[in-house]
């Protein structure tokens, strides 16, 4: 089960994930968030993974899809509050990981 809390503020889309990002629920990102990014040309995303319990390869691919959409818009993407287990799985994405949303916000506004 995955719950997503989306907040758009000041040109930045905050995506807070809670639960498990697996093959069963990765369609929520691929079919909902990616088209929004493309349609509205959103350039800045901060993922908060504090309450994400686990992620599988399909979940990693879903985050990669959002990264690609943001890069097409010439934007930036950051992950924050990532636990060690998930950090090891998403290392290959080469997305900057910060300690908090505020730290990511400071980097994104530079």
């Amino acid at each position: 089960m995955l719950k997503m809390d989306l907040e758009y503020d000041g040109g930045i889309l905050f995506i807070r994930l809670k639960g498990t990002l697996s093959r069963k629920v990765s369609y929520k990102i691929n079919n909902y968030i990616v088209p929004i990014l493309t349609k509205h040309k959103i350039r800045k995303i901060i993922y908060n993974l504090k309450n994400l319990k686990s992620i599988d390869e399909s979940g990693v691919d879903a985050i990669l899809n959002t990264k690609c959409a943001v890069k097409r818009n010439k934007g930036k993407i950051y992950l924050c509050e990532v636990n060690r287990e998930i950090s090891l799985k998403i290392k290959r994405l080469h997305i900057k990981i910060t300690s908090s949303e505020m730290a990511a916000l400071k980097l994104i506004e530079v």
Side-chain angles (χ1 to χ4, degrees), residues 5 7 14-16 46-49 79-81 98-108:
D5 176 29
E7 179 184 345
F14 293 88
I15 304 171
R16 298 173 187 99
I46 297 175
Y47 269 104
N48 186 325
L49 305 182
L79 304 174
C80 65
E81 300 187 53
T98 64
S99 59
S100 68
E101 285 185 9
M102 290 305 294
L105 197 55
K106 287 178 184 175
L107 288 173
I108 221 165

Side-chain angles (χ1 to χ4, degrees), residues 24-52:
K24 282 183 169 180
V25 294
S26 61
Y27 74 90
K28 291 181 178 183
I29 292 176
N30 292 325
N31 296 342
Y32 180 67
I33 292 178
V34 173
I36 288 173
L37 298 175
T38 305
K39 180 180 178 183
H40 298 288
K41 304 269 190 251
I42 295 173
R43 299 178 59 214
K44 300 173 185 174
I45 293 182
I46 297 175
Y47 269 104
N48 186 325
L49 305 182
K50 179 181 181 180
N51 295 315
L52 193 65

Side-chain angles (χ1 to χ4, degrees), residues 57-107:
E57 200 59 36
S58 296
V60 172
D61 288 341
I63 292 176
L64 179 62
N65 289 339
T66 60
K67 177 185 175 184
C68 292
V70 168
K71 292 296 180 184
R72 276 193 302 271
N73 295 337
K74 297 177 176 53
K76 296 179 181 180
I77 182 169
Y78 291 97
L79 304 174
C80 65
E81 300 187 53
V82 181
N83 70 38
R84 182 163 170 74
E85 176 188 327
I86 292 173
S87 178
L88 293 173
K89 291 182 180 180
I90 62 175
K91 190 174 185 177
R92 71 175 175 90
L93 296 178
H94 303 290
I95 298 175
K96 177 84 172 154
I97 298 175
T98 64
S99 59
S100 68
E101 285 185 9
M102 290 305 294
L105 197 55
K106 287 178 184 175
L107 288 173

